[in-house]
Amino acid sequence: MTDIAETIAADLLDIGAVTLRPNDPYTWASGIHSPIYTDNRITISYPAVRTRIAAGLSDLIRTQWPSVDVIGGVATAGIPHAALVADRLTLPLVYVRSKPKDHGQGRQIEGKLQPGAKLVLIDDLLSTGGSVLQAAAAASRAGATVIGVAAIFSYQLPASTANFAAAGIPFATLTNYPTLIDVARQRGDITEAELTLLHQWRQDPTHWPA
């Protein structure tokens, strides 16, 4: 398995960062029933996995956004990966809070973000894109130009694609939901019937299971 998307997908399954339960779905905070649960924070505890992620994100950014000036981490899960990538690319690092601090200088962005800097934001997971796009808006208000968003994994939900298109910000991920469930099928982690359920969820998460 040499393809980076398949390698990272296998890593996430191996360490339990992603778990699949199509016959015993999770319930998200939004109330949506989901056959998948993702906790990519776990990746930082596995040196080999986090190193592959850092290398993959660095290569992705070099390819997609070679003019980048600054790497930004989305608090909190994106921060460690952003730090590793910024180090690899020898670039400045900032991180963006979900909201400004309620004390001190009230900063939402930590680190030095120069006006006009071309910023790539890093997060661990893209679901609808809401949190990272809020971070992008904060960075834009601070005078940066957000040229892209990079993440480890995406559910590739229609809402995410629509939200990024509306914001006018391109995004790219190391791996994604279709790749991950295909890897799970190849490994024998799921049955064909479960694969069908997993495909159905992505097509219409709000009305799944039918």
Side-chain angles (χ1 to χ4, degrees), residues 132-143:
V132 71
L133 289 173
Q134 288 178 0
S140 296
R141 290 193 297 270

Side-chain angles (χ1 to χ4, degrees), residues 46-56 84 88:
Y46 294 84
V49 173
R50 74 179 185 226
T51 297
R52 279 191 287 273
I53 288 170
L84 291 168
R88 279 177 171 266

Side-chain angles (χ1 to χ4, degrees), residues 14-28:
D14 285 341
I15 66 174
V18 174
T19 53
L20 300 172
R21 281 192 348 203
N23 294 310
D24 183 21
Y26 299 95
T27 301
W28 287 357

